[in-house]
Structure formats: C-alpha cells, structure tokens
Amino acid sequence: MVADNTITGKNVLIAGGAKNLGGLISRDLAAQGARAVAVHYNSEATRSAAEETASAVSAAGAAVHLLQADLTSAAAVSKLFDDAKEAIGPIDIAINTTGMVIKKPLREITEEDYDKIFAVNAKTALFFIQQAGEKLSDRGKIVTLVTSLLSAFTGLYSIYAGSKAPVEHFTRAASKEFGERGISVTAVAPGPMETPFFYGQETKDSAEYNQNAADLSKFTATGLTDPKDIVPLVRFLVSDGWWITGQTILANGGYTTR
Ligand SMILES: NC(=O)c1ccc[n+]([C@@H]2O[C@H](COP(=O)([O-])OP(=O)(O)OC[C@H]3O[C@@H](n4cnc5c(N)ncnc54)[C@H](OP(=O)(O)O)[C@@H]3O)[C@@H](O)[C@H]2O)c1
C-alpha cells in the first residue's frame, strides 16, 4: 500500500487543543496544511482561548470547529469523535493533550484526588485511544501526551505520574491492535513545560530546581521545556514519523532518562 503520511489535506481532532501545548499543535497542523481541525476544550474559562485558536487555525487556511466537553466518561469521548466527524468529516489524526496534575505527599492523597486524576489522565486517555482506533480513517495517527516523570525517581508526583503511566501500555496494546489498519499510536512525554499547568503546583524553589535540571536548560528562555519544542515532535509522529508506533517518546532536554 502506498504510504500517505502527509498532513496536507488531513482532518485533525485535538482534545485540549485550545491553549498551551494543545493550542500550539492546533495552529501548527493548520499551518502544515491540514484540511480541518476540530479543537476541543473543556472549561468555560478556556472558551476565549479556544476562540483565539479557532481564528488562528482559520487564518492558516484550515476549516475549524470548536467542541466543548468534559471527557471523563466513555460516552463523552465517543460523542466527541462523532461530533468531530459530523462537523469536519472522517478524522485522520487524533491527538489527546488532556491532563491534570496533583503534587502532594503520598500520605495526603485522598480517594477523591485519586478518582479525579485517574478519570482524566488514564480513563479519558484509554477511551480516546479506543474511539480513535474505531473511528479514525485507515492510516490514521494517534498521539497522547504523558510526562517525562514516567522515568523520574522523584517524590510528590505519585498520582500524577502514576495516572499517566497506564497510557504507555494502552499505547503499546493499541499499536498492536490497530496496526492492521495502518494506524500508528504513540505517546509523547515532555519535561516540565513552561505553562500554567506546571507553575500551579510548584513553589519558587521547586520551580527553580526544574528550571536548571535539564542538560540543555540554559539554552531555553526559562530553563523548562518550551512547548514550542514539543510541537515538531508531535508533527513528525503524525506524519513522516509514522513508522514509530507503540512507543513513548521522551522530549525533555536531558531531564530524565530510562
Ligand atoms: N506543563 C507541564 O509541565 C507538562 C509536562 C509534561 C507533560 N504535560 C502534559 O501535557 C499536556 C498539556 O499540558 P499543558 O501544560 O499544555 O496544560 P493545559 O493546557 O492545562 O492542558 C491540560 C488540558 O486538559 C484539559 N482537561 C482537563 N480536565 C479535563 C476534562 N475533565 N475533560 C476534558 N479536558 C480536560 C484542559 O482543559 P480545561 O483547562 O479547559 O479544563 C486543558 O486543555 C497534559 O496532558 C499534561 O499532563 C505537561
């Protein structure tokens, strides 16, 4: 079968595609020639960022459709794919950037913390991959955002890293199961990134530690992973990098290893 791994003319669905890393990916894939981008957002507070992203996607020449949903139920994820397909046509590329973070000592973690974070980081991720496997076009591409903490020996991030960890296995299994339709499935694991998601959990000292922890820290604006440096990796994985499947790729300037 002839490979078709371009972004040109493709329809893209991006969960959490309104702002920060997801917003940059929405803009980038539009600029790379995607035909249409379905941009998902969750909270009302994100609506204006979603509208800004929609304008940028449109200015780059792609059709755009905004979708609002809390994705912590399987039904909501299924509806997201159905609504996106109805709005922009068959989906070729599905990217899930949704996530939440809780940083606290293991002894202080409550059952509510556990249920909340696993609902987004593990449950949404599983059903997103499942629905993508069922509803994406042949030769489709699926990417999930995880974290470089998966390979860190550190405290305080037990339920954040722990709730992202299952995605590695979902990704491997999905690459096996969807491979016969030519679908490539990967996970991308950035280091601590320059977004409010990171700063919300950190003290001045812990932020400073992370700003100096990567081998390449002093060559970025803040020392953290710049989300702009994650975008080309995602772009590659959903196009010419299709041969990489079932893998979790760390991109962190030399912050953690395996
Ligand atoms: N920033 C970092 O230090 C860092 C490092 C490594 C990996 N990551 C991962 O990278 C991804 C993007 O993070 P980011 O830094 O760009 O921050 P972000 O914009 O806050 O990304 C998180 C996204 O998840 C969405 N979300 C949260 N709960 C949801 C729910 N119940 N249903 C649907 N969507 C929901 C948020 O939407 P609303 O805000 O509208 O609720 C938001 O768009 C995340 O998966 C994160 O775990 C981040």
Side-chain angles (χ1 to χ4, degrees):
M1 192 185 288
V2 178
D4 178 7
N5 300 304
T6 59
I7 293 166
T8 312
K10 297 296 189 304
N11 290 335
V12 183
L13 167 61
I14 309 185
K19 62 182 180 183
N20 300 323
L21 177 59
L24 292 175
I25 297 169
S26 296
R27 286 165 168 77
D28 182 69
L29 296 185
Q32 301 298 321
R35 196 197 70 80
V37 185
V39 175
H40 156 270
Y41 69 99
N42 173 41
S43 54
E44 188 51 36
T46 307
R47 178 193 286 271
S48 60
E51 284 163 356
E52 269 175 44
T53 297
S55 300
V57 165
S58 188
V64 64
H65 185 75
L66 288 183
L67 297 155
Q68 185 283 325
D70 176 337
L71 296 177
T72 51
S73 73
V77 179
S78 173
K79 186 173 181 310
L80 178 81
F81 276 83
D82 294 343
D83 290 350
K85 269 177 100 165
E86 198 182 314
I88 65 169
I91 309 295
D92 305 294
I93 296 169
I95 300 169
N96 174 22
T97 76
T98 66
M100 77 168 284
V101 58
I102 295 173
K103 180 184 184 185
K104 56 159 73 166
L106 196 64
R107 278 177 306 181
E108 292 173 18
I109 289 164
T110 64
E111 188 175 357
E112 193 193 355
D113 290 335
Y114 181 95
D115 288 344
K116 247 172 91 175
I117 200 166
F118 271 77
V120 181
N121 292 350
K123 185 178 176 186
T124 299
L126 174 77
F127 288 105
F128 189 92
I129 292 170
Q130 180 203 66
Q131 288 299 307
E134 200 176 311
K135 294 172 180 167
L136 240 58
S137 309
D138 288 354
R139 305 299 309 256
K141 316 282 186 288
I142 306 170
V143 175
T144 313
L145 265 295
V146 293
T147 167
S148 280
L149 289 171
L150 295 188
S151 64
F153 198 160
T154 187
L156 307 181
Y157 278 116
S158 54
I159 54 169
Y160 176 55
S163 58
K164 289 279 191 182
V167 176
E168 288 213 74
H169 292 280
F170 303 159
T171 299
R172 279 190 201 112
S175 76
K176 285 273 173 212
E177 295 179 28
F178 308 158
E180 62 182 18
R181 290 213 294 120
I183 292 176
S184 166
V185 193
T186 48
V188 168
M193 267 192 307
E194 181 62 33
T195 73
F197 187 96
F198 168 77
Y199 286 107
Q201 301 297 308
E202 303 300 332
T203 62
K204 189 170 172 290
D205 284 354
S206 67
E208 256 171 40
Y209 166 79
N210 282 289
Q211 284 161 346
N212 293 290
D215 300 339
L216 302 177
S217 275
K218 68 175 186 225
F219 298 98
T220 71
T222 61
L224 297 176
T225 294
D226 186 331
K228 289 195 200 77
D229 290 323
I230 301 301
V231 172
L233 174 59
V234 174
R235 183 197 306 148
F236 179 65
L237 291 172
V238 301
S239 56
D240 289 340
W242 72 287
W243 191 241
I244 298 170
T245 190
Q247 307 290 329
T248 298
I249 312 291
L250 277 64
N252 57 36
Y255 173 74
T256 58
T257 185
R258 293 206 172 233

